[in-house]
């Protein structure tokens, strides 16, 4: 394995990165650094998050800067404010021992005057979001005529977020002679188009395989009825007491609802979505990074730029519409050589999405079993016992109170005190799971490929689900095959409606799409979009319930209603025996004093040790 010195990295940078804990270059760094240190070397680097991308492009950027000049010589574009700030901080750390080198971050949501002042003082490297950079360029404050190196970090996400036109405008102002680097998790048609337009004789560097999921991530799915998804989420979270993860939702509304439910049920959770102010988002993300928040419920866009290396789980509360979004989600765990798990809680109509994702990432989802109340309570009991055993006691600090404590508990025996202590910490799980709602098991039939294709066709015939309350579903004759993704949807709506348009659920099909907008805005949206052109195609937008493809409804309501004589009845099956619930009394028996006592050895409250001390049979 080569060292950073052997890659050609200068001693000042090696000294700085050594203090940050860098020992040997990661695979993407070994490939990119020597190449970027040359001239006119364009690259497309396909790598997941957590593979050392920032150092891969940041180190050669810094080394090629002429600190004698205050002109901007390098530009890094990123999709979000959070990622922009993170990259700027990392580059400043790498350049710690290089005097006279200045890195400036420019982004929306902050005062532009301060950023103008920093640029005026000299910025050899600008890290920017596209919108704010164009604003500064139009004001004549950001000058790019001396730029030698350009980096698009998370380029696929920038394109999905609708920055295509902004990127085009920025590249028109850049010198022809430059190094250009595109970092992306996936190779989409839009990335290929950008490469064709702005890169010259580029080299493609792949860490892993094209469009492959992160190597250290396990993919698990739990299939439940839609009404049971939140109950399943609770059980999964309860089964992993040390979970530290992100729960991804599709819409801002769903994100806030799930976060509110978790907080109400006593979980350490917070929400992160576009309706929060910048200050609220900063506070939320800082609390999550420092582990003050255990579960972050977020939309895809809001979570961009949140760089955390030790996430144990990513939970998909339903699958996203496009594979790229799932790749970005799952790539947030299993980083820096650690193992991670990506969980998908889905219902039967999301089966085809899961299969599409499997085909693209080259990995299979493993079917998970919803943990039972007994399994969850056992896990939580081990957690409580382990935490009690690990408590550090300061004898000197507690000494003044020990006499009163002994007098207070002198009439209780040890077993009673242990049971009371454990029940106090463990009681909410006993109470909840004593009468926990049942989660009906839904099986995902495997079948043949022909059966899978037929199933997809049947699902498409049923049409999209009912719109959210207060929203109206519109049909648009543009789909994925036309390069129409969520970012493009928002960009088109905002551009032709003259402002920010509120949007609910978006269903993207290959040839068409369904978009939910507030009922009061629906007619205005249809008038604004009908007749415009998108990539040479005339746009048609109308009510999804009266699709002009034949005057038929976009979904068949009769199929959604059970027939009068249908056997799909809501009452329980006849002669079905009710399942016995695991009660609080059962746990009290589990902790009964008849449990075998240990003889002289130190208490062992590990999971293995506890398993050796099961209650005696009477």
């Amino acid at each position: 394995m080569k060292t950073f010195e052997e890659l050609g990295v200068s001693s000042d940078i090696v000294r700085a990165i050594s203090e940050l804990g860098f020992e040997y270059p990661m695979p993407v760094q070994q490939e990119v650094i020597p190449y970027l240190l040359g001239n006119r070397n364009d690259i497309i680097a396909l790598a997941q998050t957590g593979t050392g991308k920032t150092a891969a492009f940041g180190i050669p950027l810094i080394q090629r800067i002429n600190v004698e000049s205050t002109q901007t010589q390098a530009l890094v574009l990123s999709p979000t404010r959070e990622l922009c700030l993170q990259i700027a901080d990392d580059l400043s750390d790498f350049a710690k021992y290089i005097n006279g080198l200045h890195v400036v971050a420019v982004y929306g949501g902050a005062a532009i005057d301060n950023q103008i002042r920093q640029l005026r003082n000299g910025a050899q490297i600008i890290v920017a979001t596209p919108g704010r950079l164009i604003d500064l360029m139009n004001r004549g404050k950001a000058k790019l005529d001396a730029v030698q190196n350009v980096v698009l970090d998370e380029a696929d996400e920038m394109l999905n977020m609708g920055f295509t036109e902004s990127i085009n405008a920025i590249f028109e102002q850049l010198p022809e002679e430059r190094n250009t680097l595109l970092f992306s998790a996936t190779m989409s048609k839009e990335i290929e188009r950008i490469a064709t337009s702005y890169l010259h004789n580029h080299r493609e560097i792949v860490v892993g395989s094209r469009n492959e999921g992160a190597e250290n991530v396990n993919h698990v799915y739990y299939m439940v009825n839609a009404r049971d998804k939140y109950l399943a989420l609770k059980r999964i979270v309860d089964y992993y007491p040390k979970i530290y993860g992100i729960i991804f939702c599709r819409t801002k509304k769903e994100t806030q609802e799930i976060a509110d439910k978790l907080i109400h049920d006593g979980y350490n959770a917070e929400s992160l979505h576009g309706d929060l102010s910048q200050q609220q988002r900063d506070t939320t993300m800082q609390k999550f990074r420092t582990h003050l928040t255990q579960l972050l419920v977020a939309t895809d866009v809001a979570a961009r730029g949140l760089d955390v290396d030790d996430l144990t789980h990513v939970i998909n509360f339903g699958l996203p519409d496009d594979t790229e979004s799932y790749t970005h989600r799952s790539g947030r765990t299993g980083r820096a050589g650690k193992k991670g798990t990506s969980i998908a809680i889905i219902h039967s109509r999301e089966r085809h999405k899961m299969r599409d994702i499997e085909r693209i990432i080259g990995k299979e989802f493993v079917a998970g079993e919803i943990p039972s109340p007994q399994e969850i309570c056992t896990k939580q009991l081990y957690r409580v016992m382990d935490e009690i055993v690990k408590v550090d006691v300061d004898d000197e600090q507690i000494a003044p109170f020990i006499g009163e404590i002994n007098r207070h508990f002198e009439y209780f025996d040890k077993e009673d005190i242990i049971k009371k202590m454990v029940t106090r910490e463990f009681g909410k799980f006993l109470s909840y799971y004593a009468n926990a709602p049942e989660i009906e098991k839904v099986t995902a039939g495997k079948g043949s490929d022909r059966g899978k294709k037929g199933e997809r066709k049947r699902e498409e015939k049923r049409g999209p689900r009912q719109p959210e309350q207060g929203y109206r579903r519109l049909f648009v004759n543009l789909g994925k095959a036309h390069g129409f993704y969520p970012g493009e949807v928002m960009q088109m709506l905002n551009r032709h409606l003259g402002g920010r348009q509120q949007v609910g659920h978006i269903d993207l099909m290959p040839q068409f799409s369904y978009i939910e907008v507030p009922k009061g805005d629906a007619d205005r949206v249809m008038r604004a979009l009908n007749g415009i052109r998108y990539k040479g195609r005339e746009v048609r937008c109308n009510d999804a319930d009266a699709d002009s493809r034949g005057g038929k409804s976009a979904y068949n309501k009769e199929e959604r209603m059970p027939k009068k004589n249908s056997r799909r009845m809501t009452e329980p099956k006849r002669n079905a025996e009710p399942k016995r619930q695991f009660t609080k009394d059962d746990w009290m028996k589990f902790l009964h004093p008849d449990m075998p006592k240990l003889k002289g050895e130190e208490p062992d409250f590990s999971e293995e040790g506890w398993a050796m001390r099961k209650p005696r049979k009477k």
Side-chain angles (χ1 to χ4, degrees), residues 576-606:
E577 293 185 5
K579 292 185 178 179
R580 181 179 178 276
Q581 298 288 337
F582 198 79
T583 66
K584 185 174 180 178
D585 289 339
D586 291 326
W587 280 105
M588 291 301 98
K589 293 175 183 176
F590 192 74
L591 295 169
H592 196 273
D594 282 346
M595 184 175 294
K597 303 295 187 299
L598 298 172
K599 298 179 180 179
E601 67 266 35
E602 288 295 320
D604 177 12
F605 285 114
S606 66

Side-chain angles (χ1 to χ4, degrees), residues 6-25:
E6 291 172 327
L7 297 181
V9 179
S10 69
S11 59
D12 286 337
I13 297 177
V14 170
R15 180 184 172 193
I17 63 177
S18 297
E19 292 178 1
L20 296 172
F22 288 65
E23 296 182 4
Y24 293 97

Side-chain angles (χ1 to χ4, degrees), residues 253 467-473 502 516-522:
K253 180 180 178 182
E468 294 181 14
Q469 186 175 3
Y471 281 73
R472 190 167 159 193
R473 187 180 292 275
Q502 186 176 353
E516 292 180 13
V517 298
K519 288 181 178 179
D521 297 341

Side-chain angles (χ1 to χ4, degrees), residues 117-381:
R117 193 177 304 111
Q118 287 179 293
L119 293 177
R120 190 183 298 125
N121 292 334
Q124 291 98 340
I125 301 176
I126 294 178
V127 186
T129 55
R132 176 53 62 91
L133 180 60
I134 287 180
D135 190 355
L136 291 166
M137 289 166 58
N138 292 337
R139 295 173 184 233
K141 305 302 180 182
K143 298 177 182 179
L144 309 180
D145 50 309
V147 168
Q148 300 170 353
N149 293 278
V150 182
V151 178
L152 274 70
D153 193 21
E154 300 203 5
D156 51 348
E157 190 62 22
M158 274 194 280
L159 298 177
N160 286 340
M161 291 172 66
F163 288 127
T164 304
E165 291 184 3
S166 299
I167 291 171
N168 290 338
I170 292 168
F171 268 93
E172 288 174 1
Q173 303 300 316
L174 292 171
E176 182 67 23
E177 292 297 319
R178 63 174 188 272
N179 283 348
T180 305
L181 170 61
L182 271 67
F183 260 115
S184 178
T186 58
M187 175 60 86
S188 64
K189 291 182 179 179
E190 281 295 296
I191 294 294
E192 291 177 345
R193 186 190 65 77
I194 289 286
T196 302
S197 301
Y198 299 114
L199 275 67
H200 303 279
N201 299 320
H202 68 271
R203 178 182 173 187
E204 185 176 307
I205 294 175
V206 181
V207 178
S209 301
R210 266 174 161 235
N211 298 331
E212 181 186 57
E215 186 64 32
N216 295 328
V217 179
N218 299 317
H219 302 267
V220 181
Y221 76 93
Y222 296 88
M223 188 167 290
V224 297
N225 290 315
R227 65 176 179 273
D228 292 333
K229 287 176 73 173
Y230 179 71
L231 295 176
L233 173 65
K234 283 189 61 172
R235 289 204 185 188
I236 292 167
V237 170
D238 288 344
Y239 187 70
Y240 296 102
K242 296 181 180 180
I243 188 173
Y244 173 56
I246 302 177
I247 302 168
F248 281 101
C249 297
R250 294 165 62 91
T251 65
K252 292 181 287 188
K253 180 180 178 182
E254 184 180 61
T255 298
Q256 191 61 55
E257 286 176 351
I258 297 302
D260 288 344
K261 286 182 179 179
L262 288 170
I263 294 168
H264 178 267
D265 290 340
Y267 296 91
N268 184 2
E270 291 207 33
S271 64
L272 184 69
H273 53 74
D275 284 347
L276 300 179
S277 68
Q278 193 60 56
Q279 184 177 0
Q280 289 174 313
R281 290 178 63 184
D282 290 344
T283 302
T284 298
M285 295 177 83
Q286 181 61 24
K287 288 171 68 176
F288 185 64
R289 283 194 184 99
T290 55
H291 290 237
L292 293 177
T293 299
Q294 186 178 14
L295 297 170
L296 185 68
V297 190
T299 57
D300 289 290
V301 174
R304 301 310 297 167
L306 181 61
D307 192 17
V308 181
D309 286 337
D310 49 355
L311 289 182
T312 61
H313 293 76
V314 165
I315 300 178
N316 300 269
F317 197 76
L319 293 172
D321 288 318
D322 56 289
T323 308
E324 289 84 359
S325 293
Y326 179 83
T327 304
H328 277 289
R329 289 180 179 185
S330 60
R332 296 193 169 279
T333 186
R335 301 173 64 170
K338 298 178 182 177
K339 290 288 184 182
T341 302
S342 176
I343 291 173
I345 303 174
I346 64 174
H347 54 79
S348 58
R349 292 194 62 190
E350 293 180 285
R351 248 179 254 173
H352 67 283
K353 289 185 183 179
M354 183 176 69
R355 290 176 184 139
D356 289 342
I357 292 170
E358 286 178 331
R359 186 175 66 253
I360 298 299
I361 68 175
K363 294 184 178 180
E364 288 189 2
F365 282 80
V366 177
E369 288 284 336
I370 298 293
S372 68
Q374 183 173 352
E375 290 171 328
I376 292 168
C377 287
T378 301
K379 277 270 191 176
Q380 291 292 340
L381 181 61

Side-chain angles (χ1 to χ4, degrees), residues 514-528:
Y514 294 99
I515 303 171
E516 292 180 13
V517 298
K519 288 181 178 179
D521 297 341
D523 291 335
R524 185 168 65 93
V525 171
M526 287 188 285
R527 286 195 301 270

Side-chain angles (χ1 to χ4, degrees), residues 543-558:
D543 194 310
D545 290 335
D547 192 338
S548 62
R549 289 174 293 167
K552 296 181 180 180
S553 170
Y555 49 84
N556 187 342
K557 294 180 181 177
E558 292 181 0

